[in-house]
Amino acid sequence: MAGEGAKPLPLAGIRVLEFCHVIMGPSCGLVLADLGAEVIKIEPVEGDRTRRLAGFASGFFATFNRNKRCLAIDLKAPEGRAVIERLLADTDVVIENFAPGTMERLGFGYEALAEKHPGLIYCALKGFLSGPYENRPALDEVVQYMSGLAYMTGPAGRPLRAGASVCDILGGVLGVVGILAALQERGRTGRGQMVKSALFEAACFLMTSHMTGEAITGRAMPPMPERHGAWGIYDTFPTADGQLFFLGITSDQHWRRFCTLFERPDLLADEALNTNEKRVAARPRLLPIVAEAVARHSEAEMVEMCERAGLPFAPTAKPGDLPTDPQLNAHDRMLEIALPNGGHARLPRLPLEMGTHDTGLRRQPGRIGEDTLAILAELGIPEEESAALVERGVVGGPAAEKSDAAA
């Protein structure tokens, strides 16, 4: 937990209003919040629907909403919009990932806000950038299929989405990149601007090396499970205790280390295997040899041996293995995140090291509208007026004192 006396974070003093739900927008807000911005999450009076998702999506809200303040408010009510207008007077950045046209219908589109607040940076996180698709609805899975990412991930004839919401998160992080660049430019010009990031273009950005490869070779790229390998050994092999162990031999130095590690001077002396190109050509012969060597050892033994030899390797982990991973737990890099069911999850902090800054946990993911009353008070709204707004359902959340969610 970041201490009260910690060094101010890089984005301290920047206020962000986050009109977002699910992953793409909240991941953008999460990075800004972890870096020190005051991020105010704007959600409906009944709460962000992401709070109520189940199954695969049950962890979305707790994952992407730490270090934020929560304001529950009815944006369709004139009194609710008036509260947002007062907040905007001291806001640096707006981020939103609603369907196209939603913010404009609420009166909070870029053109309307830029006219009143010329220094405002407005980040729209959408399915598509400007163009013929811009009004289509999109999801992470939709753009994985559209971009070729699903085709490249699954075996031939069986396109498969990646095992994480990579396009949502990359799109959110690219939004952060645009926001930081716009803040830098505002420091020179005094003016804000529109920033837009999108799922489809983020997914296609991930595909650029495959696009380049096709342009160079003149051949269509096969899916990754059937790829033409660039290295002699770059595969998973069963261990003696039934685990799958990835081993990469991508250089001649790696090959020499492998042959020494497994006491195979005969392979090292074999001129048909003395370069990576020759080993690629000899894969049908080489793979069973490596598989036999790995199969004599347990996963733990392979980890110790390959680490000692300096070979690229990896056991095949599952999500449940990560909370106890020694690397993730080094230097207090795992955060104890409170869950709606009263439990906790150990999650990685922002994967950055920045000088002596502590980008850790300052505030747990909030309850619905946890900071509503405190924010209204900061805006100078009298207590009796706030109570009336609560009574009429214009704002919502805990009706008690301001909660210290980081306690």
Side-chain angles (χ1 to χ4, degrees):
M1 186 80 68
E4 290 296 322
K7 176 181 177 182
L9 288 163
L11 296 184
I14 298 295
R15 171 177 280 178
V16 180
L17 296 191
E18 179 192 294
F19 298 83
C20 299
H21 60 132
V22 195
I23 296 180
M24 189 188 189
S27 68
C28 177
L30 172 70
V31 176
L32 296 171
D34 279 2
L35 290 173
E38 179 199 10
V39 177
I40 300 177
K41 180 176 184 62
I42 311 297
E43 59 182 325
V45 173
E46 68 274 14
D48 185 334
R49 68 183 179 88
T50 310
R51 294 176 181 272
R52 300 181 290 277
L53 296 178
F56 172 75
S58 60
F60 286 2
F61 190 88
T63 299
F64 298 106
N65 289 285
R66 65 174 179 255
N67 291 335
K68 301 176 184 179
R69 305 177 78 191
C70 294
L71 170 62
I73 192 163
D74 182 358
L75 295 177
K76 296 179 181 177
E79 303 99 319
R81 292 196 297 273
V83 169
I84 298 300
E85 289 287 0
R86 293 175 73 161
L87 273 173
L88 283 165
D90 291 311
T91 291
D92 300 281
V93 180
V94 163
I95 58 177
E96 63 94 2
N97 72 333
F98 292 152
T102 301
M103 290 292 279
E104 285 74 14
R105 288 193 295 274
L106 291 169
F108 297 127
Y110 171 67
E111 297 297 336
L113 295 191
E115 185 176 344
K116 299 176 187 175
H117 311 283
L120 184 69
I121 292 155
Y122 191 106
C123 180
L125 300 151
K126 300 299 183 184
F128 304 91
L129 295 180
S130 305
Y133 301 161
E134 64 183 299
N135 290 316
R136 288 188 189 180
L139 302 166
D140 193 295
E141 200 146 339
V142 167
V143 301
Q144 289 199 32
Y145 278 83
M146 286 185 68
S147 65
L149 179 56
Y151 167 83
M152 289 300 297
T153 302
R158 289 181 55 203
L160 186 67
R161 69 156 284 160
S165 299
V166 291
C167 304
D168 272 318
I169 295 171
L170 176 59
V173 171
L174 289 173
V176 173
V177 173
I179 289 167
L180 296 181
L183 285 169
Q184 177 72 8
E185 187 168 29
R186 189 181 71 174
R188 297 195 304 270
T189 67
R191 298 196 63 82
Q193 61 187 284
M194 176 73 152
V195 173
K196 194 172 181 181
S197 175
L199 290 172
F200 177 62
E201 284 78 6
C204 292
F205 191 70
L206 292 172
M207 299 298 292
T208 51
S209 65
H210 298 312
M211 296 163 67
T212 307
E214 288 197 359
I216 291 172
T217 65
R219 298 191 300 272
M221 282 286 157
M224 292 297 281
E226 301 176 23
R227 66 190 182 274
H228 303 304
W231 296 285
I233 299 298
Y234 208 69
D235 296 271
T236 55
F237 303 93
T239 62
D241 51 350
Q243 303 302 309
L244 283 176
F245 189 84
F246 173 83
L247 181 61
I249 300 176
T250 64
S251 70
D252 295 340
Q253 184 181 53
H254 290 161
W255 177 241
R256 289 191 293 271
R257 291 173 181 173
F258 171 83
C259 294
T260 301
L261 180 65
F262 289 98
E263 300 178 348
R264 293 298 303 266
D266 57 317
L267 296 177
L268 190 57
D270 189 337
E271 292 190 2
L273 301 173
N274 65 5
T275 69
N276 179 65
E277 291 72 19
K278 292 178 181 179
R279 290 190 292 275
V280 170
R283 276 174 59 82
R285 169 194 166 201
L286 193 53
L287 287 174
I289 294 173
V290 176
E292 190 275 332
V294 173
R296 295 201 305 266
H297 301 277
S298 68
E299 178 184 83
E301 290 169 341
M302 286 299 302
V303 167
E304 189 279 327
M305 292 165 64
C306 291
E307 188 161 29
R308 176 163 39 88
L311 289 174
F313 71 91
T316 302
K318 301 179 181 69
D321 299 325
L322 300 182
T324 57
D325 184 274
Q327 175 67 23
L328 289 178
N329 281 277
H331 304 293
D332 195 31
R333 279 197 294 265
M334 293 294 272
L335 306 176
E336 290 281 345
I337 302 298
L339 303 178
N341 63 6
H344 285 78
R346 291 180 63 75
L347 301 178
R349 68 167 67 203
L350 191 68
L352 287 174
E353 292 181 0
M354 293 186 63
T356 59
H357 287 299
D358 180 0
T359 58
L361 182 63
R362 305 185 306 282
R363 181 181 288 266
Q364 292 284 2
R367 295 171 294 164
I368 297 172
E370 181 160 322
D371 303 285
T372 297
L373 297 181
I375 291 170
L376 296 182
E378 291 164 11
L379 290 173
I381 296 175
E383 189 174 330
E384 59 274 17
E385 187 177 336
S386 294
L389 292 174
V390 173
E391 179 69 23
R392 294 199 300 275
V394 175
V395 300
E401 74 287 352
K402 178 183 178 182
S403 171
D404 182 5

